């Protein structure tokens, strides 16, 4: 059973940076495309970013393009989300997600973790 454990969330001020990490276990990491989702209070979970199996392709939600970068370390079974120029509207619980296919819709991912809180103050 695939398990995903996120870390790295916290409280930052607008304009600052934060790096989220996700540890993948319970399967063959190279067989899964990975992604990050987020859910703000009172809103539905939404897609943030995705990366293909070999990290050859990446996809981003329009609001984070140019500010967020998704990457993966195949040796460590880790996925990262580097978040720069953070805005108060980025405040949400961020979830690491996995699926055997590339997904750009939040509800299509097969697995996701427990989430890590990111709060951006103005």
């Amino acid at each position: 059973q695939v398990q995903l454990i996120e870390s790295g969330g916290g409280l930052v001020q607008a304009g600052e940076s934060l790096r989220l990490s996700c540890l993948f276990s319970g399967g063959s990491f190279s067989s899964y495309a990975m992604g990050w989702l987020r859910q703000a209070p009172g809103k539905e979970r939404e897609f943030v970013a995705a990366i293909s199996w070999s990290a050859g392709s990446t996809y981003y939600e329009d609001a984070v393009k140019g500010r967020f970068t998704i990457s993966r370390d195949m040796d460590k079974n880790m996925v990262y989300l580097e978040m720069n120029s953070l805005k108060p509207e980025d405040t949400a619980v961020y979830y690491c997600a996995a699926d055997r296919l590339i997904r750009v819709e939040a509800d299509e991912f097969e697995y996701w973790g427990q989430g890590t809180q990111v709060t951006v103050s103005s």
Side-chain angles (χ1 to χ4, degrees), residues 10 14 30-31 34-35 42-44 57 65-66 69 78-79 85 87 92 107 117-119:
S30 61
S31 297
M34 302 297 296
K43 295 187 177 181
E44 293 187 354
S57 299
K65 283 180 181 177
T69 302
M78 295 288 293
V79 182
S85 302
K87 305 176 182 180
D107 58 0
Q117 176 71 46
V118 172
T119 303

Side-chain angles (χ1 to χ4, degrees), residues 47-70:
F47 169 81
V48 176
I51 188 167
S52 63
W53 310 266
S54 61
S57 299
T58 55
Y59 307 83
Y60 297 95
E61 191 257 333
D62 286 346
V64 308
K65 283 180 181 177
R67 299 189 298 122
F68 290 11
T69 302
I70 187 171

Side-chain angles (χ1 to χ4, degrees), residues 1 5 16 35 39 42 48 53 58-59 72 84 91 96 101-102:
Q1 178 76 2
I5 301 176
E16 294 184 340
Q39 187 168 20
V48 176
W53 310 266
T58 55
Y59 307 83
R72 64 191 297 169
N84 298 316
T91 295
C96 179
L101 302 177
I102 281 283

Side-chain angles (χ1 to χ4, degrees), residues 11-12 22 25 30 33 37-38 45 54-55 58 62 70 77 79 81-82 94 105-106 119-122:
L11 172 63
V12 297
C22 171
S25 64
S30 61
L37 316 174
R38 68 185 178 184
R45 194 171 302 184
S54 61
T58 55
D62 286 346
I70 187 171
N77 284 11
V79 182
L81 186 67
E82 186 74 36
Y94 283 72
E105 297 288 341
T119 303
V120 184
S121 63
S122 58

